[in-house]
Amino acid sequence: MTTFSPAIILIDPQMGENIGMVARAMLNCGLTDLRLVRPRDGWPSEQADCSACGALEKGVVARVFETTEEAIADCHFVVATTARPRDMVKDVYTGRSAAEKIRGLEAQEQQCAILFGPERSGLVNDDIALAHGVVTIPLNPDFTSLNLAQAVLLVSYEWRQAADQTPEVDRHFGDTCPATMDERVQLYQRLFDDLERGGFFTSAERRPTTQRNLTTMLNRMDMTEQEVRTFHGIISALNGKKGSH
Amino acid sequence: MTTFSPAIILIDPQMGENIGMVARAMLNCGLTDLRLVRPRDGWPSEQADCSACGALEKGVVARVFETTEEAIADCHFVVATTARPRDMVKDVYTGRSAAEKIRGLEAQEQQCAILFGPERSGLVNDDIALAHGVVTIPLNPDFTSLNLAQAVLLVSYEWRQAADQTPEVDRHFGDTCPATMDERVQLYQRLFDDLERGGFFTSAERRPTTQRNLTTMLNRMDMTEQEVRTFHGIISALNGKKGSH
């Protein structure tokens, strides 16, 4: 099975350094198809090799085209990134919804492309007209100054996240594992017994409530097996017995 | 109502240029609380002012601290960004799930902070131990080289998106509006009548199917009022009548 991924197309990019940073951001997100339309300072570029931090050797393939039409010739779906709404009837996607749209089309083996304009001026209307939709990344409306590589990073990042399977929150356990409830309850009981001997519970009436509160607090630690042993050692040490840690 | 937003804390940042790019990425996403622990080249920094593109004048406030403990003193929840899993029992968040966690805590008026280590070496274990959890942004495992400002951008971007209300796909209409079905159906019928006169329908039997297919295709254009008028003009022009465009 061929896996599809979108082409990143830079129209009239100026500084080679920026093209290299784009390549780096692409490969961070697993994208490799970079297309350059009329790069001002030519191609290949030493500045690009330098700022790409190896991305141009390790996966990203850059190709140069004379026109936007040639660069998108094999594509089925094209979106144009622009911060400004234009006087055209176009679907406006967020970075996230564009990524989901593209993933859906790629599952149908359609080649997609994302157009980025030159650093200062952005895309011209003729290029935007060719696109099926516009991508406008929702950012702080009072400060939208985003450089080219950062714009490519955000769109590429959303494409990667749209298929990412990483669990939302994953507790890292290393070499240890969570304590069983039996290990925890034994620890809590031992603590309560020692606290009783130390005169901690001043009122027999309130002792059950206090124990429940302590159990709740200690449970929130979600101790590992090793940590239960360490905690026994802490109690012993505070008791004046030799800690087992 | 005070609105909470996370502090971005850079521990031992090296180049002023990178700090400025961090400030720019923060303000792109509406963050303004930047804390610097032992910035190597001192603070303020001309390089930072330059690369911040105005972010340090337009909203981001940077403060300098001697220790991580002082920098996080007022915080209730702290996460540490690191690409490497460490030998600590910690919750590991994605950029997105960390942003959702932080938004939830901020709704409860808790101050949150996100720690970033120095450019080359990343956070030290003592700083990670202080954090409630670790953030690992899921990227291409074969090329994780991400610069400091890009890491800050991705985490800040997720924080902004977590409360973003932009519609997923929004058709931009400018000064015009969608055509009514009546305007469309009249256009299609006019086209079919003209096509009949031009001998387009070779088989009376297949004409209904052909018309349905044309209706389907034309409907996908989702024409505006103005575009319906333009299309009438196109038909007239092709018919040899004067176009009404």
Side-chain angles (χ1 to χ4, degrees), chain B residues 11-54:
Chain B
I11 318 271
D12 292 313
Q14 297 177 18
M15 295 171 66
E17 185 190 353
N18 290 335
I19 301 173
M21 287 166 70
V22 163
R24 180 181 179 182
M26 287 173 62
L27 197 55
N28 282 149
C29 303
L31 297 184
T32 55
D33 184 352
L34 174 60
R35 307 182 186 188
L36 308 172
V37 178
R38 299 177 299 265
R40 185 191 66 183
D41 296 342
W43 192 261
S45 151
E46 266 185 43
Q47 283 75 32
D49 288 340
C50 179
S51 63
C53 290

Side-chain angles (χ1 to χ4, degrees), chain A residues 21 23-25 27-30 52-55 58 85-97 100 137-141 143-147 149-150 153-154 157-158 160-161 164 166-176 224 227, chain B residues 21 23-25 27-30 52-55 58 85-97 100 137-141 143-147 149-150 153-154 157-158 160-161 164 166-176 224 227:
Chain A
M21 287 167 68
R24 180 180 179 183
L27 197 57
N28 282 149
C29 303
C53 290
K58 290 180 189 161
R86 311 267 182 152
D87 190 21
M88 288 185 214
V89 181
K90 287 274 178 194
D91 286 339
V92 179
Y93 294 86
T94 63
R96 189 159 301 170
S97 64
E100 282 157 9
I137 301 171
L139 293 173
N140 178 2
F143 189 78
T144 54
S145 154
L146 194 69
N147 77 25
Q150 286 171 318
L153 176 65
L154 291 181
Y157 169 78
E158 286 286 9
R160 186 165 191 90
Q161 299 309 302
D164 186 70
T166 310
E168 287 204 355
V169 186
D170 190 21
R171 182 153 293 185
H172 173 71
F173 278 104
D175 295 335
T176 183
T224 65
E227 288 165 347
Chain B
M21 287 166 70
R24 180 181 179 182
L27 197 55
N28 282 149
C29 303
C53 290
K58 290 181 189 161
R86 311 269 181 150
D87 191 19
M88 290 184 212
V89 182
K90 287 275 178 197
D91 287 338
V92 179
Y93 293 87
T94 62
R96 190 160 300 173
S97 64
E100 282 158 9
I137 301 170
L139 293 174
N140 177 3
F143 190 77
T144 54
S145 156
L146 194 69
N147 77 25
Q150 285 171 319
L153 176 66
L154 291 181
Y157 169 78
E158 286 287 10
R160 187 166 190 89
Q161 299 308 303
D164 187 70
T166 310
E168 287 203 356
V169 186
D170 188 21
R171 183 154 292 186
H172 174 69
F173 278 104
D175 295 334
T176 182
T224 64
E227 288 165 348

Side-chain angles (χ1 to χ4, degrees), chain A residues 5-6 36 38 64 84 88 103 117 134-135 174 184 226 237:
Chain A
S5 61
L36 309 172
R38 299 177 298 265
V64 176
R84 284 163 288 178
M88 288 185 214
R103 285 282 187 179
V134 158
V135 182
R184 295 188 208 193
Q226 175 59 51

